């Protein structure tokens, strides 16, 4: 039994920004904006060789697909290597090594001239464009972005599979308290351990060169590199003030409380969070089953 990914992600070929704002940005609905950055140097020229010339001598940190520390954001890289060496690797060989949240523009500010922020009525966080690189088979496990910002994820080389879930399913996805992570595997769901997964419905799509996936703030996402490649994310403030406040609370209060409890209780805190996530999911499951029984009564 597989998770229901029958929700299609709309694709807009000819981008009408007013239509995007009304139909996707305000209601917070994912969509693929095809060719959003068309006409820019980034769209036309960014590839592995381009970045080898610009930043190949940089030493970068890379991450592996590890199942440990499921409730933690990965901040310390598992390995370090020269960027040019890494690009050669992901261009030719399947590997689980990936880079994420690299603000390469601080090291190479000239790259900011290669693209323009889209003319959309949203406040882009222009100091935080990030690059993501990955080898075929590398994944970004299921999570929410802690600041609840909208993400415009543009693919420049290779392909990525993206799975999205509405935040309405957070409890059924077993979100850890004070956290934006979960222990579920949406590719190989364990329905015995996580029965709530039987009741979730997700979006699934593939992005390739020139595609920009709009991921609304607070949406859950799992990303898999089906080909070695890279992309860039542009972030913008959520149009809903309540979600901006929630993001601020995540960063300033909940994250600090989580780390304090982990430091005090160690592994016991993680087990307590698992138990709380289970109880929340079971509560929702009982309500769903009760309503289903009423319908067939």
């Amino acid at each position: 039994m597989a998770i229901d990914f029958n929700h299609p992600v709309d694709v807009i070929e000819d981008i009408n920004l007013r239509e995007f704002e009304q139909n996707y940005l305000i209601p917070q609905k994912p969509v693929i904006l095809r060719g959003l950055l068309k006409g820019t140097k980034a769209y036309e020229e960014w590839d592995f060789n381009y970045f080898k010339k610009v930043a190949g001598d940089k030493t970068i940190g890379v991450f592996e697909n590890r199942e440990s520390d499921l409730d933690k954001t990965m901040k310390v890289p598992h390995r370090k290597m020269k960027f040019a060496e890494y690009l050669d690797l992901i261009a030719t060989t399947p590997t689980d090594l990936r880079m994420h949240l690299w603000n390469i523009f601080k090291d190479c500010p000239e790259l900011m001239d290669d693209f323009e922020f889209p003319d959309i009525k949203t406040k882009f966080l222009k100091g935080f464009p990030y690059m993501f690189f990955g080898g075929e088979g590398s994944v970004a496990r299921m999570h929410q972005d802690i600041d609840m910002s909208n993400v415009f994820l543009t693919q420049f080389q290779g392909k990525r599979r993206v799975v999205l879930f509405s935040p309405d399913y957070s409890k059924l996805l077993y979100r850890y308290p004070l956290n934006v992570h979960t222990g579920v595997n949406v590719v190989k769901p364990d329905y015995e351990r996580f029965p709530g997964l039987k009741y979730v419905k997700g979006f699934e799509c593939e992005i390739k060169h020139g595609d920009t996936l709009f991921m609304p703030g607070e949406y859950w996402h799992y990303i898999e590199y089906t080909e070695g490649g890279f992309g860039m994310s542009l972030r913008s403030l959520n149009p809903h003030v309540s979600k901006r406040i929630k993001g601020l609370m995540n960063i300033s209060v909940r994250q600090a409380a989580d780390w304090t409890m982990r430091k005090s209780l160690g592994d016991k805190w993680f087990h307590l969070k698992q138990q709380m996530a289970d109880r929340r999911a079971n509560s929702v499951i009982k309500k769903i089953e009760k309503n289903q029984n009423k319908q067939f009564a």
Side-chain angles (χ1 to χ4, degrees), residues 32-62:
I32 292 175
L33 305 171
R34 189 150 284 168
L36 180 65
L37 298 183
K38 194 171 184 177
T40 66
K41 188 175 182 179
Y43 183 94
E44 303 296 338
E45 298 186 24
W46 279 10
D47 59 16
F48 291 137
N49 289 328
Y50 187 93
F51 279 91
K52 283 174 68 175
K53 293 176 183 177
V54 172
D57 62 336
K58 305 291 183 185
T59 299
I60 51 94
V62 294

Short mmCIF file of all heavy atoms in Angstrom, two decimals, residues 32-62:
data_model
loop_
_atom_site.label_atom_id
_atom_site.label_comp_id
_atom_site.label_asym_id
_atom_site.label_seq_id
_atom_site.Cartn_x
_atom_site.Cartn_y
_atom_site.Cartn_z
N ILE A 32 3.97 24.72 -10.14
CA ILE A 32 5.23 24.82 -10.88
C ILE A 32 5.12 25.97 -11.87
O ILE A 32 4.22 26.00 -12.71
CB ILE A 32 5.55 23.50 -11.62
CG1 ILE A 32 5.85 22.38 -10.62
CG2 ILE A 32 6.74 23.69 -12.56
CD1 ILE A 32 6.06 21.02 -11.27
N LEU A 33 6.03 26.92 -11.74
CA LEU A 33 6.10 28.06 -12.64
C LEU A 33 7.20 27.76 -13.66
O LEU A 33 8.38 27.86 -13.34
CB LEU A 33 6.41 29.33 -11.86
CG LEU A 33 5.45 29.64 -10.69
CD1 LEU A 33 5.96 30.80 -9.86
CD2 LEU A 33 4.06 29.95 -11.22
N ARG A 34 6.82 27.36 -14.83
CA ARG A 34 7.78 26.91 -15.83
C ARG A 34 8.42 28.13 -16.53
O ARG A 34 7.74 28.96 -17.12
CB ARG A 34 7.09 26.00 -16.84
CG ARG A 34 8.02 25.28 -17.80
CD ARG A 34 7.42 23.95 -18.21
NE ARG A 34 7.53 22.96 -17.16
CZ ARG A 34 6.88 21.80 -17.18
NH1 ARG A 34 6.04 21.51 -18.16
NH2 ARG A 34 7.04 20.93 -16.19
N GLY A 35 9.75 28.22 -16.43
CA GLY A 35 10.46 29.31 -17.10
C GLY A 35 10.38 30.64 -16.38
O GLY A 35 10.52 31.70 -17.01
N LEU A 36 10.18 30.61 -15.07
CA LEU A 36 10.05 31.87 -14.31
C LEU A 36 11.29 32.75 -14.47
O LEU A 36 11.18 33.97 -14.56
CB LEU A 36 9.81 31.57 -12.83
CG LEU A 36 9.67 32.78 -11.90
CD1 LEU A 36 8.41 33.57 -12.25
CD2 LEU A 36 9.62 32.35 -10.44
N LEU A 37 12.47 32.14 -14.51
CA LEU A 37 13.71 32.92 -14.63
C LEU A 37 14.26 32.92 -16.05
O LEU A 37 15.44 33.24 -16.27
CB LEU A 37 14.77 32.35 -13.66
CG LEU A 37 14.42 32.41 -12.17
CD1 LEU A 37 15.59 31.89 -11.33
CD2 LEU A 37 14.06 33.82 -11.74
N LYS A 38 13.42 32.59 -17.01
CA LYS A 38 13.85 32.56 -18.40
C LYS A 38 14.35 33.94 -18.82
O LYS A 38 13.76 34.97 -18.46
CB LYS A 38 12.70 32.12 -19.29
CG LYS A 38 13.11 31.73 -20.70
CD LYS A 38 11.94 31.10 -21.44
CE LYS A 38 12.37 30.62 -22.82
NZ LYS A 38 11.25 29.95 -23.54
N GLY A 39 15.43 33.96 -19.60
CA GLY A 39 15.99 35.23 -20.04
C GLY A 39 17.13 35.72 -19.17
O GLY A 39 17.82 36.67 -19.53
N THR A 40 17.34 35.07 -18.03
CA THR A 40 18.45 35.46 -17.15
C THR A 40 19.69 34.63 -17.48
O THR A 40 19.61 33.58 -18.10
CB THR A 40 18.08 35.26 -15.67
OG1 THR A 40 17.93 33.84 -15.42
CG2 THR A 40 16.78 35.97 -15.32
N LYS A 41 20.83 35.13 -17.05
CA LYS A 41 22.08 34.40 -17.26
C LYS A 41 22.05 33.05 -16.54
O LYS A 41 22.57 32.05 -17.04
CB LYS A 41 23.26 35.23 -16.79
CG LYS A 41 24.63 34.65 -17.12
CD LYS A 41 25.75 35.60 -16.72
CE LYS A 41 27.11 35.02 -17.10
NZ LYS A 41 28.22 35.94 -16.74
N ALA A 42 21.44 33.04 -15.36
CA ALA A 42 21.35 31.80 -14.60
C ALA A 42 20.60 30.74 -15.40
O ALA A 42 21.03 29.58 -15.50
CB ALA A 42 20.65 32.05 -13.26
N TYR A 43 19.49 31.10 -15.99
CA TYR A 43 18.68 30.16 -16.77
C TYR A 43 19.45 29.63 -17.97
O TYR A 43 19.37 28.44 -18.30
CB TYR A 43 17.40 30.87 -17.23
CG TYR A 43 16.44 30.00 -18.01
CD1 TYR A 43 15.39 29.36 -17.35
CD2 TYR A 43 16.55 29.83 -19.38
CE1 TYR A 43 14.49 28.56 -18.05
CE2 TYR A 43 15.67 29.04 -20.09
CZ TYR A 43 14.64 28.41 -19.43
OH TYR A 43 13.76 27.62 -20.12
N GLU A 44 20.21 30.50 -18.61
CA GLU A 44 20.89 30.14 -19.85
C GLU A 44 22.23 29.45 -19.63
O GLU A 44 22.62 28.58 -20.43
CB GLU A 44 21.10 31.40 -20.71
CG GLU A 44 19.84 32.16 -21.06
CD GLU A 44 18.87 31.37 -21.92
OE1 GLU A 44 19.33 30.42 -22.60
OE2 GLU A 44 17.67 31.68 -21.92
N GLU A 45 22.96 29.80 -18.55
CA GLU A 45 24.36 29.39 -18.47
C GLU A 45 24.74 28.54 -17.26
O GLU A 45 25.78 27.88 -17.28
CB GLU A 45 25.27 30.62 -18.51
CG GLU A 45 25.16 31.42 -19.79
CD GLU A 45 26.18 32.55 -19.85
OE1 GLU A 45 27.23 32.45 -19.18
OE2 GLU A 45 25.91 33.54 -20.56
N TRP A 46 23.91 28.56 -16.21
CA TRP A 46 24.32 27.82 -15.01
C TRP A 46 24.33 26.32 -15.28
O TRP A 46 23.30 25.72 -15.60
CB TRP A 46 23.38 28.13 -13.86
CG TRP A 46 23.70 29.43 -13.15
CD1 TRP A 46 24.59 30.38 -13.55
CD2 TRP A 46 23.13 29.90 -11.94
NE1 TRP A 46 24.60 31.43 -12.66
CE2 TRP A 46 23.72 31.16 -11.66
CE3 TRP A 46 22.18 29.40 -11.05
CZ2 TRP A 46 23.38 31.91 -10.53
CZ3 TRP A 46 21.84 30.13 -9.93
CH2 TRP A 46 22.43 31.38 -9.66
N ASP A 47 25.50 25.71 -15.13
CA ASP A 47 25.65 24.26 -15.18
C ASP A 47 26.85 23.89 -14.32
O ASP A 47 27.46 24.76 -13.68
CB ASP A 47 25.76 23.74 -16.61
CG ASP A 47 26.95 24.32 -17.37
OD1 ASP A 47 27.87 24.90 -16.74
OD2 ASP A 47 26.99 24.19 -18.61
N PHE A 48 27.22 22.62 -14.31
CA PHE A 48 28.34 22.19 -13.47
C PHE A 48 29.63 22.93 -13.83
O PHE A 48 30.37 23.38 -12.95
CB PHE A 48 28.55 20.68 -13.61
CG PHE A 48 27.47 19.84 -13.01
CD1 PHE A 48 26.98 18.73 -13.69
CD2 PHE A 48 26.92 20.14 -11.77
CE1 PHE A 48 25.98 17.94 -13.13
CE2 PHE A 48 25.93 19.36 -11.20
CZ PHE A 48 25.45 18.26 -11.89
N ASN A 49 29.91 23.05 -15.13
CA ASN A 49 31.15 23.70 -15.55
C ASN A 49 31.20 25.16 -15.15
O ASN A 49 32.25 25.69 -14.78
CB ASN A 49 31.34 23.56 -17.07
CG ASN A 49 31.67 22.15 -17.48
OD1 ASN A 49 32.33 21.41 -16.74
ND2 ASN A 49 31.22 21.75 -18.66
N TYR A 50 30.05 25.82 -15.20
CA TYR A 50 29.99 27.23 -14.81
C TYR A 50 30.40 27.39 -13.35
O TYR A 50 31.21 28.27 -13.01
CB TYR A 50 28.57 27.74 -15.02
CG TYR A 50 28.41 29.24 -14.82
CD1 TYR A 50 28.53 30.12 -15.89
CD2 TYR A 50 28.13 29.78 -13.56
CE1 TYR A 50 28.37 31.49 -15.73
CE2 TYR A 50 27.98 31.14 -13.39
CZ TYR A 50 28.10 31.99 -14.47
OH TYR A 50 27.95 33.36 -14.29
N PHE A 51 29.89 26.53 -12.48
CA PHE A 51 30.20 26.66 -11.06
C PHE A 51 31.60 26.18 -10.73
O PHE A 51 32.21 26.64 -9.76
CB PHE A 51 29.14 25.94 -10.23
CG PHE A 51 27.90 26.76 -10.03
CD1 PHE A 51 26.84 26.66 -10.92
CD2 PHE A 51 27.80 27.67 -9.00
CE1 PHE A 51 25.71 27.44 -10.77
CE2 PHE A 51 26.68 28.46 -8.83
CZ PHE A 51 25.62 28.34 -9.73
N LYS A 52 32.14 25.27 -11.53
CA LYS A 52 33.54 24.88 -11.34
C LYS A 52 34.46 26.06 -11.59
O LYS A 52 35.45 26.28 -10.88
CB LYS A 52 33.89 23.71 -12.26
CG LYS A 52 33.35 22.37 -11.79
CD LYS A 52 33.60 21.28 -12.82
CE LYS A 52 35.07 20.97 -12.96
NZ LYS A 52 35.28 19.82 -13.88
N LYS A 53 34.12 26.86 -12.60
CA LYS A 53 34.94 28.03 -12.90
C LYS A 53 34.79 29.11 -11.83
O LYS A 53 35.77 29.77 -11.45
CB LYS A 53 34.54 28.60 -14.27
CG LYS A 53 34.86 27.68 -15.44
CD LYS A 53 34.34 28.27 -16.75
CE LYS A 53 34.60 27.34 -17.92
NZ LYS A 53 34.02 27.87 -19.19
N VAL A 54 33.58 29.29 -11.35
CA VAL A 54 33.30 30.38 -10.40
C VAL A 54 33.77 30.05 -8.99
O VAL A 54 34.34 30.91 -8.30
CB VAL A 54 31.79 30.70 -10.38
CG1 VAL A 54 31.45 31.68 -9.26
CG2 VAL A 54 31.35 31.26 -11.74
N ALA A 55 33.56 28.80 -8.54
CA ALA A 55 33.80 28.48 -7.13
C ALA A 55 34.42 27.11 -6.92
O ALA A 55 34.35 26.57 -5.82
CB ALA A 55 32.48 28.58 -6.36
N GLY A 56 35.04 26.55 -7.96
CA GLY A 56 35.57 25.19 -7.86
C GLY A 56 36.64 25.01 -6.80
O GLY A 56 36.83 23.90 -6.29
N ASP A 57 37.33 26.09 -6.43
CA ASP A 57 38.41 25.98 -5.44
C ASP A 57 37.92 26.07 -4.01
O ASP A 57 38.69 25.89 -3.07
CB ASP A 57 39.45 27.08 -5.69
CG ASP A 57 38.87 28.49 -5.54
OD1 ASP A 57 37.63 28.64 -5.71
OD2 ASP A 57 39.64 29.42 -5.27
N LYS A 58 36.61 26.32 -3.81
CA LYS A 58 36.06 26.43 -2.45
C LYS A 58 36.00 25.06 -1.79
O LYS A 58 35.76 24.05 -2.44
CB LYS A 58 34.66 27.04 -2.49
CG LYS A 58 34.54 28.38 -3.19
CD LYS A 58 35.23 29.48 -2.42
CE LYS A 58 35.03 30.83 -3.12
NZ LYS A 58 35.79 31.91 -2.45
N THR A 59 36.22 25.04 -0.47
CA THR A 59 36.02 23.82 0.31
C THR A 59 34.60 23.83 0.85
O THR A 59 34.18 24.81 1.49
CB THR A 59 37.02 23.73 1.47
OG1 THR A 59 38.35 23.69 0.94
CG2 THR A 59 36.78 22.48 2.30
N ILE A 60 33.87 22.77 0.59
CA ILE A 60 32.45 22.74 0.97
C ILE A 60 32.16 21.53 1.86
O ILE A 60 32.89 20.55 1.86
CB ILE A 60 31.54 22.74 -0.29
CG1 ILE A 60 31.97 21.64 -1.29
CG2 ILE A 60 31.63 24.09 -1.01
CD1 ILE A 60 31.24 20.36 -1.16
N GLY A 61 31.07 21.62 2.61
CA GLY A 61 30.62 20.52 3.45
C GLY A 61 29.47 19.79 2.80
O GLY A 61 28.58 20.42 2.23
N VAL A 62 29.49 18.48 2.85
CA VAL A 62 28.43 17.67 2.24
C VAL A 62 27.82 16.73 3.28
O VAL A 62 28.45 16.38 4.28
CB VAL A 62 28.96 16.87 1.04
CG1 VAL A 62 29.38 17.81 -0.07
CG2 VAL A 62 30.13 15.98 1.45
#
